[in-house]
Amino acid sequence: MAAELTTYITNAREKNVTDEEIKNHLISAGWQPEQVAQALSQQTDLPVPPPPPSIAHVGMWTGFLYILFFVSLYVLATSVTGIFHIWIDKAIPSTQTTSFFTFESSSITRGYIAAIIVSYPLFLALSFALKRQMLKQPAVKNIRSRKILIYITLIGTFLIMLGDIIATSYAFLAGTVTDNVIRHLLVTFLIAGSIFYYFILEVKNDRNTT
């Protein structure tokens, strides 16, 4: 039985399992705490797994990548939203519409398309790189810049949705609300709401894993 215990501890340490985790697992499997403590103390010649990497080891470079990631997200989301607003006003013209996007829409559309062409590949590349790094180094989740940018994004998307609701309600009370106004509201909620919901899930996931 002692040899079995020693073999388990050796194999677990080779897999970088901490002594505390080994102890808890063995006790839950029916081993006596005294036996486990004695076996662990006798394995001092075995390599002890290194501590998990600290946030400081991640470096400022990852924080910089997160800044670029969120900037590309903002540019992409704004451009896609603008394209949809322009499409709504062109596809379903309204004589009462007061949308900003109806003015000089061709030049604005070109600007949005150019922004999408540039920001979308950057957004995908940064998403892939940061996701891969987070799988290798879970401590990335605790980077201060990442948390600040997530909460700024949550606040920003919430304010955008709230502002659109207020503007639509004002138009309704003034008797100037049209079908296009409602469609613009739905587009804003679809894009801003999706971003808000995604990062709310990220915050909940971070809390569950810390």
Side-chain angles (χ1 to χ4, degrees), residues 9-80:
I9 294 174
T10 302
N11 294 335
R13 281 179 169 172
E14 288 177 351
K15 296 178 181 177
N16 289 337
V17 181
T18 64
D19 284 358
E20 187 65 26
E21 292 175 320
I22 295 173
K23 180 180 177 181
N24 293 335
H25 186 271
L26 288 173
I27 292 175
S28 64
W31 292 89
Q32 294 298 321
E34 296 79 10
Q35 290 178 300
V36 176
Q38 183 179 3
L40 288 171
S41 64
Q42 292 175 352
Q43 304 297 314
T44 53
D45 58 324
L46 295 175
V48 179
S54 64
I55 302 175
H57 292 162
V58 176
M60 293 184 62
W61 175 250
T62 303
F64 174 68
L65 290 181
Y66 268 107
I67 293 174
L68 295 183
F69 168 78
F70 278 95
V71 169
S72 64
L73 172 63
Y74 301 154
V75 173
L76 181 61
T78 301
S79 302
V80 172

Side-chain angles (χ1 to χ4, degrees), residues 66-126:
Y66 268 107
I67 293 174
L68 295 183
F69 168 78
F70 278 95
V71 169
S72 64
L73 172 63
Y74 301 154
V75 173
L76 181 61
T78 301
S79 302
V80 172
T81 304
I83 290 289
F84 273 106
H85 284 315
I86 292 174
W87 179 81
I88 288 173
D89 289 335
K90 281 193 172 184
I92 313 169
S94 174
T95 56
Q96 297 182 17
T97 183
T98 58
S99 174
F100 164 78
F101 302 99
T102 57
F103 300 99
E104 299 294 336
S105 60
S106 59
S107 59
I108 295 177
T109 301
R110 286 194 298 270
Y112 284 144
I113 294 175
I116 292 173
I117 292 173
V118 174
S119 63
Y120 184 61
L122 179 62
F123 173 77
L124 288 182
L126 290 170

